Amino acid sequence: MTHSIGFIGLGNMGGPMAANLVKAGHRVIGYDLSAEARDLAAAQGVMIAVSAAEAVGEADVVLTMLPTGRHVLDSYGELTEAATGALFIDCSTIAVGDARVAADLARTAGHRAVDAPVSGGVPGAEAASLTFMVGADEADFAEAEPLLAAMGRRVVHCGSSGAGQAAKICNNMILGVSMIAVSEAFVLGESLGLSHQALFEVASTASGQCWALTSNCPVPGPVPGSPANRDYAGGFAAALMAKDLGLAAAAAAACDVPAELGGRASELYAAFAEGAGAGLDFSAIITTLRKDTA
Ligand code: NAD
């Protein structure tokens, strides 16, 4: 089925995602505050509206890919132009509580709501290989799934509103903590005279195996494609990891869950992203964990 999609937020992620919806044959009308983002999306076949309200005016699906929960809640408050019954899909990473408020706002205005945050980063957005974690009721999920499948490789129904965001922050809490654990192990190995390659060969096929080690290895050498081999350029920005861990830590506090390592990882990444780590892949945290830099 072909949809008319109002797409708000055509940034690093939203731009290529909107382009993939165009490739799948949908009519996509986009809007972004940034002229550069609008121009890049237009070059990919996205029609550009003069305002968010105009972008959603004829839409039966409204998709948002915005920086924070504040942006999403503000937008949802303003998108009253959308036709009654439109399917609102928010793919931004925001707090579980904000996702539930956004869904309530949409439903109160006569629409339907889905939270569908992603993992896979900009390369995944460009290659339409993202993983979507979805919070929605069965009927809305069934309608959203083929659209999300046009932008990704996996679409997982995690539960009702907010469950997609819950899965996203829990997954990224595992990732943030495991990257620090892998980094500390390499640093300890260095002090014990153990080569990076030897530790990698053992841990990557033993019980220390994890994505942080085998795909995004924080030291250069063992995994040629990991950002460590290019001075930590590109990859998953430390600032985004800090953001996601902050959301996880706030959720843990709200639920009275201790999550001590998640909380500590959140502190370390927040400090790193504000300082040396600004603009670097999150695996560069290892550079702050050695004796002379700690
Ligand atoms: P980005 O900053 O590149 O894009 C966000 C866009 O939203 C910008 O172009 C900005 O101009 C636009 N915008 C802000 N307010 C607006 C408004 N009111 N109306 C219209 N446009 C508005 O960010 P991004 O990297 O594309 O990330 C978007 C979301 O995806 C974030 O929630 C982020 O946490 C999440 N995410 C990002 C990645 C990644 O690797 N970049 C991976 C997974 C999830």
Side-chain angles (χ1 to χ4, degrees), residues 8-14 31-34 37 65-67 71 75 92-93 118 121-122 168 236 240 243-244:
I8 315 299
L10 303 166
N12 293 325
M13 296 292 291
Y31 180 69
D32 195 291
L33 294 177
S34 145
M65 192 51 166
L66 294 165
H71 296 88
S75 297
S92 327
T93 302
V118 306
V122 176
K168 166 82 186 175
F236 182 50
L240 286 172
K243 172 194 166 181
D244 293 356

Side-chain angles (χ1 to χ4, degrees), residues 220-245:
V223 178
S226 82
N229 297 283
R230 41 178 202 270
D231 293 327
Y232 304 100
F236 182 50
L240 286 172
M241 177 51 85
K243 172 194 166 181
D244 293 356
L245 287 169

Side-chain angles (χ1 to χ4, degrees), residues 69 93-96 98 165 169 241-252 266:
T93 302
I94 68 175
V96 176
D98 285 347
Q165 297 294 349
I169 57 170
M241 177 51 85
K243 172 194 166 181
D244 293 356
L245 287 169
L247 291 173
S266 174

